[in-house]
Amino acid sequence: MGQFEGKVAVITGAGRGIGRDTALLMAAEGAKIVVNDLGGGPQGGGGDASFAQQVVDEIRAAGGTAIAETSSVASMAGGTAVVECALDHFGRLDFVINNAGIIRPRLITEMSEEDFDTIIAVNLKGYFATIRAGAAHLKKHGGAIVNLSSPSGFGHLGMANYSAAKEGVVGLTRSVARELGEFGVRCNAVRPISQATTMAIPEVFETITYQIEKLGIPHLSNQWLSPNGEVPEPHSVAAVLAWLCSPLSENINGREVYICGNQIALVQEPELIRNQFRAGGWTWEGLCDPAVTRALTYDVRNRYTGRKPD
Ligand SMILES: NC(=O)c1ccc[n+]([C@@H]2O[C@H](COP(=O)([O-])OP(=O)(O)OC[C@H]3O[C@@H](n4cnc5c(N)ncnc54)[C@H](O)[C@@H]3O)[C@@H](O)[C@H]2O)c1
């Protein structure tokens, strides 16, 4: 008997990459799956319905249950259609995995309004759309929502649009967790690194190389990467997404999990550091005190000015 017998999962962007591996894994563990994918390229567009259908065929060939759904989740109508597909075909909804994603690496001076809006629509609003449509159904008997964020949310040269969306996903996650927790619905975010997906386009690596080699700004500290350097594969991320739906993680809610190859970790929640206090409240004069500047900035000076560290 599988971990998810009798349960129903909606997985967006499940025609390829991380979503596909998650659909195959959760189906093998007994879940009925709505395989959503509009069949797009890594920078958007789309319309190849065969992506979703191929995954459905693989699941069925292995003895599982799945149905293909090809809406774009970038609209409220699309998010609603994905959830309704689960209810119409399988009669319930237990898990929403918001995995659909695209990227448009551009320097901020070259990023168009459309580049920004499109990325926000797929990677952030699309997650709201499925949660908005699914929350009332999840509340009936409990369940789990898992949202794909990204380490790029911490800051990634050339990816301001994507970073904004993926960090927005974390705020969305924390708030939904607080709202639905009392109904037995958990909501967590995952920050993965995975090669061997279509999203790993050359421009992403070019921006990282530029940031590190030309500006001397670390992309992620070494502790983020797979310590023994092994290639992070999508199936490792899929395992984490499934784990966050299972009772094995029942005490994890409103958190972020990092996964890269052989490393999994919780991300520390933000906290205030180097607190300074001033009687009567802060004023311009108060902030002109050099001691305050020193206290707040002494080892972060010139952090992103493009100077290589001494
Ligand atoms: N691969 C990584 O290293 C990495 C790192 C950080 C975050 N992520 C996130 O993980 C998720 C999965 O990424 P992946 O690497 O497997 O990418 P991928 O490109 O292999 O798969 C994404 C899928 O989403 C689908 N999709 C795109 N827009 C859609 C829409 N509007 N509606 C429905 N489906 C849509 C695409 O057709 C594609 O099949 C994404 O949200 C991505 O941002 C990936």
Side-chain angles (χ1 to χ4, degrees):
M1 179 115 162
Q3 182 74 246
F4 301 121
E5 217 64 52
K7 307 286 188 188
V8 174
V10 157
I11 308 177
T12 70
R16 274 190 307 225
I18 293 166
R20 171 182 173 274
D21 281 12
T22 309
L24 294 173
L25 172 59
M26 291 184 70
E29 286 292 325
K32 299 182 177 107
I33 313 284
V34 174
V35 177
N36 160 264
D37 203 299
L38 93 169
Q43 303 206 43
D48 188 344
S50 71
F51 290 11
Q53 192 56 49
Q54 276 172 21
V55 176
V56 168
D57 292 345
E58 277 184 78
I59 290 172
R60 289 180 181 161
T65 305
I67 187 150
E69 209 286 338
T70 58
S71 301
S72 168
V73 292
S75 69
M76 295 308 286
T80 304
V82 180
V83 167
E84 280 176 357
C85 182
L87 300 171
D88 291 348
H89 287 86
F90 303 134
R92 60 184 283 143
L93 179 68
D94 298 280
F95 310 123
V96 173
I97 300 186
N98 283 312
N99 165 82
I102 56 171
I103 42 173
R104 294 259 183 102
R106 309 268 191 276
L107 294 175
I108 195 73
T109 45
E110 291 159 21
M111 190 175 286
S112 69
E113 182 179 1
E114 202 259 339
D115 291 331
F116 190 84
D117 287 349
T118 305
I119 291 299
I120 297 289
V122 177
N123 294 279
L124 179 56
K125 184 179 170 185
Y127 291 25
F128 165 69
T130 55
I131 294 171
R132 176 67 186 83
H137 304 285
L138 294 172
K139 277 171 68 175
K140 289 178 195 161
H141 45 62
I145 301 165
V146 184
N147 297 323
L148 270 289
S149 176
S150 170
S152 294
F154 291 119
H156 185 158
L157 182 148
M159 300 269 270
N161 49 0
Y162 183 77
S163 300
K166 291 303 193 185
E167 215 55 11
V169 164
V170 175
L172 175 75
T173 300
R174 290 195 188 116
S175 297
V176 170
R178 282 155 176 75
E179 225 174 290
L180 298 184
E182 66 168 307
F183 305 101
V185 181
R186 295 180 296 117
C187 182
N188 290 291
V190 173
R191 297 196 194 247
I193 294 181
S194 165
Q195 292 183 22
T197 72
T198 45
M199 195 171 273
I201 61 174
E203 288 94 321
V204 174
F205 299 103
E206 284 162 20
T207 60
I208 293 171
T209 304
Y210 181 85
Q211 182 178 307
I212 295 170
E213 293 182 2
K214 290 277 192 300
L215 303 181
I217 302 171
H219 179 55
L220 295 168
S221 66
N222 285 339
Q223 63 157 325
W224 287 87
L225 301 172
S226 207
N228 64 0
E230 68 191 42
V231 175
E233 298 281 356
H235 63 75
S236 299
V237 184
V240 174
L241 303 189
W243 180 75
L244 283 171
C245 290
S246 80
L248 295 165
S249 61
E250 64 182 352
N251 291 324
I252 298 188
N253 193 19
R255 300 302 303 253
E256 303 160 52
V257 177
Y258 171 81
I259 163 72
C260 174
N262 71 349
Q263 180 175 201
I264 180 174
L266 277 189
V267 178
Q268 185 173 345
E269 306 234 302
E271 58 175 326
L272 306 183
I273 59 170
R274 300 184 189 179
N275 318 49
Q276 303 292 302
F277 299 93
R278 185 171 191 272
W282 285 100
T283 60
W284 171 246
E285 288 71 26
L287 284 162
C288 285
D289 178 348
V292 175
T293 302
R294 255 197 320 276
L296 292 177
T297 66
Y298 70 91
D299 66 356
V300 292
R301 267 181 308 161
N302 301 330
R303 196 168 171 198
Y304 302 129
T305 57
R307 289 185 209 157
K308 291 224 181 201
D310 298 331

